[in-house]
Amino acid sequence: MSRLSETFRRLAKEKKTALMPFITAGDPDMDTSYRLLLELEQNGADIIELGIPFSDPIADGLTIQRSSQRSLKKGANVTKIMDMLTRIREKSKIPIVFMTYYNLVYHYGVEKFVKDSVDSGANGLIIPDLPPEEAFDLRSAADRYGLDIIFLLAPTSTPERIKLISNSSSGFIYYVSLTGITGARTSLADGIKSQVESISHQSDTPVAVGFGISTPAQAAQIAACADGVIVGSALINIIESNLADEDALIKKAGEFILSLRREMDKTNDK
Amino acid sequence: MTLPDNKGHFGIYGGKYVPETLMPALAELEENYNKFKDDSDFQAELQYYLKQAVGRPTPLYYAKRLTKYLGGAKIYLKREDLCHTGAHKINNTLGQALLAVRMGKKRIIAETGAGQHGVATATAAAMFGLECEIFMGQEDIDRQKLNVFRMRLLGAKVNPVTSGSQTLKDAVNETMRDWVTNVGSTYYIIGSVVGPHPYPMIVRDFQAVIGNEAKAQILQSENRLPDYLAACVGGGSNSMGLFYPFIEDSEVKLIGIEAAGLGVDTNKHAASLSAGSLGVLHGSMSYLLQEEDGQITPAHSISAGLDYPGVGPEHSWLKDTGRAEYHSITDKEALSAFDLLSKLEGIIPALESSHAIAYLQKMAPHTKKDEIIILCLSGRGDKDVTQVS
């Protein structure tokens, strides 16, 4: 069983929902990302989504675009990010999932990317511009090396696609909570609960919900119906507001994750 | 074999590399396109507007003085510069706008670089009373003020894009983001044979009117097929439109001309086929300009219409199979051809088309006098006069 599956199984037993923060590796720099990853884990993150920045992120809103640009300007690339992950693995065992766009994977070499990801300690891979129809090579490499490939579902997905993606996704299924791009929102979209239930009905694979979740209350609301809660832009907004002071950045990011954790656990305890 | 295949691939190229949110919309678009492309009412309406509003068929003009000057094959110019709005772009926007109307979409979005596709889209939207928003890089807005004014005059909203390099590739990103957000109500009119399937096929089919007319016209005037077709390639829509009806005619050589900017050995060019490598950008696999680690390189060309770091997947296929060949022309060479055609033929060509003419300057002297070349004069150059002067 993969480390992601084990984590979801353990959390289900404990009646908890996975908290999955997203950060862009290398924003604002690689050393800060290293410290951030440890801080997020210590404050209650169960799984971390680590973005590998791409110059043209079409599924992302302004917050993650700017974050990607900051990281790229500092010279981040796939190799440096995998090196950082290797260092993190000396201290941290929680599942880490890469999130990136397909050109970077293709350009690096699909099989080599999968192998090097596994060797550096990554557990899964999310590629928002790669539907299962185009993912044959990636999935076959991932099967051989033992990397979970997480596909996304959206509010626009048809029943046939829900079936296809549920059958294709391993580790978990990423449900995009709204018809749109990433970015913090003031309120959640309608119908998330029923959509998550209809996905869960068709598949035993855990369902994590992301896009637009920005406050402890929203995270708790999602925790009540999903197996995982993904928070990205709201966390990156905190990073962006504290670029001048690295220690404050780490501390505030940790506090934010802890506030999500506490509110989610309250819901789960009910 | 007819390409693309049912998954939208031309060999390994093309496909649908998009967020899941858009996958159902692409399926809906493909289904509707397949339904209407053979629908006689749809085709009759399209033909009506192409004739009465665009001014088709465009002439196939024998460029006598250019032919004599270059001293080789007879050169014919397919006069897309005479289309309404000044370039071939309207062939596609009109077709897609009619499709949008049939699909019940009320809002049109599009990206634009120089503004030619934006103007053609705004024009089609105005013709059918559709709401229209155009995404354009801030840098392009600053250097193409006339087209921005035209789009606004035509009732379109022009949204400046300030992310990334603030040019065409970023405008495409932003249009895709809008489409992901408003996919239910909105139709995205892509301006070239790029993007996810079915766009490269749809745009090619609407632009194939160029090649179909040229074929009938040359048969009438010369009673035979040409030996060469030449056209500039940015995303590749005018060239694909000219080439496509001739693909099975193996005796006709297909030549695409890319923008070499300051030179393909510098990092300031837009020659994806000549000097790029395989990758995935804006929804499809094709040749593109990228750095060593897979980040997209901003393109450079004096011609904003060719200033794009990718190219249509079918061109990549034509290159790999050897059916078409691709060359590149620098900014400087294009400027000299711009001048040449103006003085020799009384036609001010777009800077895009000037790249194709510049290649003829190199190639035509090596051809035989009894051979025939058709060159797609994709647009007129009025828009470029301020930049050149």
Side-chain angles (χ1 to χ4, degrees):
Chain A
M1 187 184 286
S2 76
R3 191 179 288 171
L4 276 169
S5 303
E6 275 171 22
T7 302
F8 278 105
R9 180 169 292 199
R10 174 178 57 75
L11 290 168
K13 268 190 201 152
E14 295 169 7
K15 297 203 172 353
K16 283 172 83 175
T17 305
L19 173 57
M20 307 166 62
F22 167 92
I23 58 168
T24 305
D27 173 27
D29 56 59
M30 214 59 85
D31 289 337
T32 311
S33 288
Y34 176 91
R35 288 182 62 195
L36 256 175
L37 283 170
L38 297 176
E39 185 77 8
L40 298 177
E41 180 178 3
Q42 276 158 21
N43 284 281
D46 300 296
I47 297 165
I48 290 172
E49 248 187 71
L50 191 59
I52 302 178
F54 180 50
S55 53
D56 295 80
I58 56 171
D60 285 305
L62 281 172
T63 302
I64 295 179
Q65 287 174 45
R66 285 197 300 262
S67 172
S68 304
Q69 285 304 318
R70 282 194 297 271
S71 169
L72 288 173
K73 267 196 189 134
K74 287 279 173 70
N77 62 29
V78 172
T79 310
K80 287 180 190 168
I81 291 166
M82 286 183 180
D83 288 348
M84 191 265 286
L85 183 54
T86 308
R87 286 196 289 131
I88 277 285
R89 279 304 181 219
E90 294 163 10
K91 295 204 169 177
S92 164
K93 296 288 172 220
I94 66 168
I96 292 181
V97 176
F98 279 143
M99 177 147 178
T100 195
Y101 287 81
Y102 191 55
N103 193 55
L104 293 187
V105 177
Y106 184 81
H107 191 78
Y108 191 89
V110 171
E111 174 153 354
K112 184 169 156 42
F113 187 96
V114 168
K115 181 179 183 299
D116 290 356
S117 294
V118 171
D119 288 349
S120 66
N123 306 97
L125 176 60
I126 303 169
I127 306 180
D129 63 344
L130 188 74
E133 284 90 336
E134 305 287 356
F136 181 81
D137 291 348
L138 179 70
R139 287 179 66 198
S140 98
D143 283 347
R144 265 176 286 137
Y145 291 98
L147 185 72
D148 280 326
I149 302 294
I150 295 103
F151 289 99
L152 296 90
L153 276 168
T156 54
S157 300
T158 55
E160 296 76 41
R161 295 198 61 79
I162 293 177
K163 199 171 161 191
L164 169 73
I165 284 154
S166 303
N167 290 333
S168 310
S169 206
S170 65
F172 64 95
I173 297 164
Y174 191 136
Y175 179 66
V176 173
S177 77
L178 49 83
T179 306
I181 53 179
T182 59
R185 308 287 202 280
T186 46
S187 61
L188 292 175
D190 295 329
I192 297 175
K193 186 165 185 266
S194 63
Q195 289 271 16
V196 171
E197 278 166 3
S198 91
I199 299 164
S200 302
H201 194 68
Q202 299 202 30
S203 169
D204 293 333
T205 313
V207 180
V209 178
F211 282 42
I213 303 167
S214 16
T215 64
Q218 290 171 351
Q221 212 178 318
I222 299 296
C225 66
D227 304 299
V229 175
I230 302 164
V231 177
S233 296
L235 175 58
I236 289 171
N237 283 336
I238 292 173
I239 295 173
E240 196 171 64
S241 322
N242 290 281
L243 290 171
D245 183 345
E246 191 185 311
D247 290 333
L249 182 158
I250 304 276
K251 184 165 167 278
K252 285 183 183 165
E255 285 167 2
F256 176 61
I257 293 305
L258 187 63
S259 70
L260 298 173
R261 174 85 269 165
R262 288 193 171 138
E263 205 62 29
M264 284 167 61
D265 289 350
K266 274 189 215 162
T267 303
N268 288 138
D269 288 341
K270 274 177 199 163
Chain B
M1 183 173 51
T2 317
L3 291 175
D5 66 20
N6 62 4
K7 297 265 173 65
H9 293 116
F10 305 87
I12 63 166
Y13 302 107
K16 293 180 187 177
Y17 296 84
V18 294
E20 170 63 21
T21 308
L22 294 180
M23 289 297 283
L26 292 173
E28 180 198 8
L29 176 59
E30 187 178 1
E31 191 185 311
N32 277 280
Y33 177 68
N34 286 332
K35 184 166 95 189
F36 289 117
K37 76 172 180 190
D38 301 320
D39 177 89
S40 55
D41 285 351
F42 179 83
Q43 282 303 331
E45 194 176 2
L46 178 60
Q47 293 314 316
Y48 169 81
Y49 284 111
L50 286 175
K51 184 174 178 202
Q52 305 296 347
V54 178
R56 304 205 72 90
T58 57
L60 185 70
Y61 177 72
Y62 172 45
K64 198 172 164 185
R65 288 184 19 97
L66 181 66
T67 300
K68 195 175 167 207
Y69 178 81
L70 295 177
K74 285 179 89 169
I75 299 168
Y76 282 86
L77 303 176
K78 181 59 177 162
R79 297 290 306 273
E80 294 301 298
D81 60 315
L82 296 176
C83 289
H84 179 41
T85 73
H88 71 292
K89 292 289 181 191
I90 188 90
N91 302 328
N92 167 49
T93 61
L94 199 55
Q96 290 204 58
L98 282 171
L99 190 57
V101 171
R102 290 285 205 286
M103 290 171 68
K105 306 283 182 185
K106 306 267 185 254
R107 179 173 177 266
I108 297 290
I109 54 171
E111 82 291 343
T112 198
Q116 292 303 104
H117 174 58
V119 168
T121 302
T123 300
M127 285 169 68
F128 304 115
L130 300 164
E131 187 192 336
C132 179
E133 287 190 39
I134 305 292
F135 292 85
M136 187 170 185
Q138 183 64 53
E139 202 167 292
D140 289 332
I141 287 180
D142 295 341
R143 60 185 178 186
Q144 298 286 343
K145 292 205 173 71
L146 176 63
N147 275 341
V148 174
F149 182 79
R150 292 168 81 194
M151 287 184 269
R152 289 185 175 142
L153 191 60
L154 290 159
K157 186 175 170 219
V158 180
N159 299 315
V161 176
T162 55
S163 57
S165 61
Q166 310 194 4
T167 59
L168 179 56
K169 91 176 165 70
D170 309 283
V172 176
N173 293 340
E174 210 50 40
T175 318
M176 286 199 157
R177 291 181 188 121
D178 182 290
W179 200 32
V180 169
T181 307
N182 301 297
V183 64
S185 66
T186 297
Y187 186 105
Y188 178 10
I189 299 188
I190 288 188
S192 192
V193 288
V194 300
H197 178 68
Y199 280 108
M201 170 180 81
I202 292 177
V203 178
R204 173 197 74 194
D205 290 357
F206 285 136
Q207 291 295 2
V209 66
I210 302 173
N212 284 324
E213 285 178 7
K215 197 175 202 175
Q217 289 165 323
I218 201 73
L219 287 174
Q220 193 171 22
S221 56
E222 296 281 351
N223 203 26
R224 71 174 185 91
L225 293 177
D227 300 282
Y228 305 94
L229 300 179
C232 63
V233 180
S237 68
N238 87 85
S239 46
M240 205 60 233
L242 177 65
F243 293 174
Y244 188 62
F246 292 90
I247 282 182
E248 305 290 321
D249 304 311
S250 56
E251 71 273 31
V252 181
K253 291 196 180 66
L254 313 177
I255 303 169
I257 297 103
E258 297 188 292
L262 304 183
V264 287
D265 48 355
T266 70
N267 60 358
K268 296 268 181 202
H269 64 81
S272 316
L273 290 161
S274 311
S277 54
L278 291 194
V280 171
L281 177 67
H282 297 148
S284 59
M285 181 167 293
S286 197
Y287 282 92
L288 48 93
L289 302 180
Q290 53 192 327
E291 288 163 23
E292 239 167 64
D293 55 4
Q295 306 296 343
I296 306 303
T297 317
H300 166 84
S301 169
I302 191 169
S303 142
L306 304 181
D307 200 350
Y308 180 69
V311 67
E314 195 163 7
H315 281 294
S316 294
W317 166 250
L318 291 176
K319 174 190 157 85
D320 281 8
T321 56
R323 180 63 191 94
E325 55 183 86
Y326 296 87
H327 303 277
S328 60
I329 283 293
T330 63
D331 288 351
K332 212 173 148 190
E333 293 167 325
L335 282 169
S336 140
F338 179 84
D339 204 54
L340 181 77
L341 194 75
S342 302
K343 295 206 165 56
L344 276 182
E345 295 289 352
I347 298 168
I348 302 173
L351 279 176
E352 291 78 8
S353 324
S354 300
H355 285 73
I357 298 156
Y359 186 71
L360 279 201
Q361 284 186 263
K362 294 184 174 179
M363 169 201 158
H366 304 289
T367 54
K368 299 189 196 98
K369 283 192 163 44
D370 60 353
E371 290 186 311
I372 298 168
I373 301 171
I374 296 178
L375 179 140
C376 188
L377 196 70
S378 56
R380 67 175 188 228
D382 311 39
K383 69 181 175 65
D384 299 315
V385 168
T386 13
Q387 194 181 352
V388 171
S389 61

